[in-house]
Amino acid sequence: MQYRTLGRTGVQVSSLALGAMNFGRIGRTTQAEATAIVDAALEGGINVIDTADRYSDGESEEMVGKAIAGRRDDIVLATKASMPMGDERNHQGSSRRWLVTELDNSLRRLGVDHVDLYQIHRWDPRTSDEETLSALTDLQRAGKIRYFGSSTFPAHRIVQAQWAAREHHLSRYVTEQPSYSILQRGIETHVLPVTEEYGLGVLVWSPLASGWLSGVVRAGRDITTSRSAFMPERFDTALPANRARLDAVEKLAGVADQAGLTMIQLALGFVTAHPAVTSALIGPRTTDHLHSQLAAADTVLSADVLDAIDAIVAPGTDLAPDEKFDTPPALLDPSLRRR
């Protein structure tokens, strides 16, 4: 396992981090299975565990808390807030009112008195940066969080938050957690240059592109990944974006074979090769999945392999642009671009 410094914090983190989204109802993972995954991840050198209040409505946090009991100090523990938790309109977003309440809920579910990294799960356009940063700074000073970060923020919002922190003399986001894979490279255009400029740690999610790069998805085979069961439109090869992905996967499989790598090693080695990326979040549902991903922990891709990947999916290109999660609201809601 490789270790890197998380932004400018001085904290050393593993190049692969354990994402716990599949713990609980989403991944149909039991407590025993979740604990076994955590055990194997720590044994394999992973020292970062990332979860969120939203994952299975808090069940993931509860499972993580039970799995790390007695060894919390050995782990860089991260969670998130801001996504809706129920139907109450104020049980979401990044207002002081909600963050103060929901952090206490997360600490209770995790069974800890603080988290190392508290992340705003999505940018909340209804709440000012000053409001959010002020609340997070106070929670940091209270000792409930050590650091805080953003997740899937557009580049211009990352910049604006940095300036707001400076203007109002508040603590700042020290990490960003964007989606990044060989098939979704759009963040190379704007987000990663910004994180490098401001010295943010970067924890990328979906490096296997929801299973497209797991080695299971190939031409001529039925797609039977867990994601395809509840997100079938993302794997419908009748759609142009998915045909483009499948074509790229076939070419990438040839690159992996020639280099003597698995598709997982190619995919994880690619994202961790970028100098702006600190860690890649893996989200196994089983210990077998975890071990296949841990095998990529020390993968270093040669320049020839990276050049071959660039020839298949050009730098800065998203093969499925409709699946981006940092799109400005005005591009999604026509009323926001009409007088």
Side-chain angles (χ1 to χ4, degrees):
M1 183 65 66
Q2 303 169 49
Y3 296 88
R4 298 162 177 183
T5 304
L6 185 64
R8 295 173 180 163
T9 66
V11 177
Q12 298 297 294
V13 295
S14 48
S15 60
L16 297 182
L18 179 62
M21 189 181 76
N22 279 318
F23 289 6
R25 186 176 65 255
I26 292 176
R28 304 183 301 281
T29 307
T30 66
Q31 181 63 60
E33 290 168 332
T35 300
I37 290 170
V38 169
D39 290 345
L42 297 181
E43 184 177 347
I46 286 176
N47 73 342
V48 180
I49 299 179
D50 177 87
T51 183
D53 59 353
R54 174 73 169 178
Y55 298 160
S56 297
D57 296 324
E59 189 178 9
S60 172
E61 288 183 323
E62 292 175 352
M63 286 187 168
V64 168
K66 292 175 182 176
I68 67 173
R71 49 189 173 178
R72 189 264 174 271
D73 291 341
D74 299 330
I75 295 163
V76 178
L77 181 61
T79 192
K80 312 179 206 66
S82 81
M83 300 286 276
M85 292 291 287
D87 297 328
E88 165 56 44
R89 67 186 65 199
N90 285 314
H91 288 186
Q92 61 181 296
S94 55
S95 68
R96 173 181 291 272
R97 182 181 190 274
W98 177 238
L99 292 179
V100 170
T101 297
E102 187 59 358
L103 175 58
D104 282 341
N105 291 336
S106 288
L107 294 177
R108 172 179 49 78
R109 288 188 290 257
L110 288 162
V112 299
D113 62 4
H114 73 279
V115 294
D116 297 297
L117 180 63
Y118 198 49
Q119 300 155 104
I120 301 302
H121 211 154
R122 295 289 185 273
W123 170 53
D124 176 9
R126 299 168 300 181
T127 306
S128 71
D129 289 308
E130 181 185 3
E131 165 83 1
T132 301
L133 293 169
S134 175
L136 292 170
T137 298
D138 286 346
L139 291 169
Q140 184 182 51
R141 289 171 178 166
K144 293 185 176 184
I145 58 179
R146 297 294 186 254
Y147 307 99
F148 51 85
S150 57
S151 176
T152 323
F153 274 32
H156 72 284
R157 296 310 315 177
I158 298 172
V159 173
Q160 182 59 34
Q162 294 291 314
W163 278 94
R166 181 180 300 180
E167 179 182 1
H168 299 289
H169 306 288
L170 300 167
S171 296
R172 68 185 189 100
Y173 295 126
V174 300
T175 60
E176 161 61 14
Q177 188 179 127
S179 173
Y180 184 44
S181 71
I182 295 175
L183 304 182
Q184 295 288 93
R185 299 183 61 174
I187 67 166
E188 294 172 345
T189 304
H190 300 295
V191 171
L192 293 184
V194 166
T195 61
E196 286 186 291
E197 176 70 21
Y198 287 98
L200 274 64
V202 176
L203 311 167
V204 300
W205 58 272
S206 200
L208 300 183
S210 297
W212 279 96
L213 298 173
S214 66
V216 176
V217 177
R218 296 294 301 274
R221 299 181 189 173
D222 291 334
I223 300 177
T224 58
T225 64
S226 62
R227 289 294 181 88
S228 68
F230 64 90
M231 305 172 85
E233 70 285 352
R234 294 197 180 183
F235 297 87
D236 182 356
T237 54
L239 300 177
N242 293 334
R243 286 200 302 272
R245 283 195 280 204
L246 187 59
D247 179 59
V249 165
E250 287 299 302
K251 295 175 182 176
L252 291 166
V255 172
D257 287 343
Q258 188 171 359
L261 301 169
T262 66
M263 282 290 284
I264 290 174
Q265 287 175 314
L266 187 76
L268 294 178
F270 168 80
V271 296
T272 56
H274 197 292
V277 172
T278 311
S279 300
L281 286 159
I282 56 175
R285 289 190 303 109
T286 68
T287 53
D288 286 342
H289 290 166
L290 173 67
H291 288 303
S292 68
Q293 293 161 19
L294 281 175
D298 295 317
T299 298
V300 178
L301 302 185
S302 69
D304 288 345
V305 170
L306 292 170
D307 289 344
I309 292 171
D310 286 348
I312 295 168
V313 182
T317 300
D318 287 314
L319 293 188
D322 290 345
E323 293 180 13
K324 288 179 65 63
F325 292 90
D326 62 355
T327 303
L331 297 185
L332 302 175
D333 183 352
S335 69
L336 298 177
R337 58 178 185 266
R338 306 282 190 267
R339 287 194 180 277

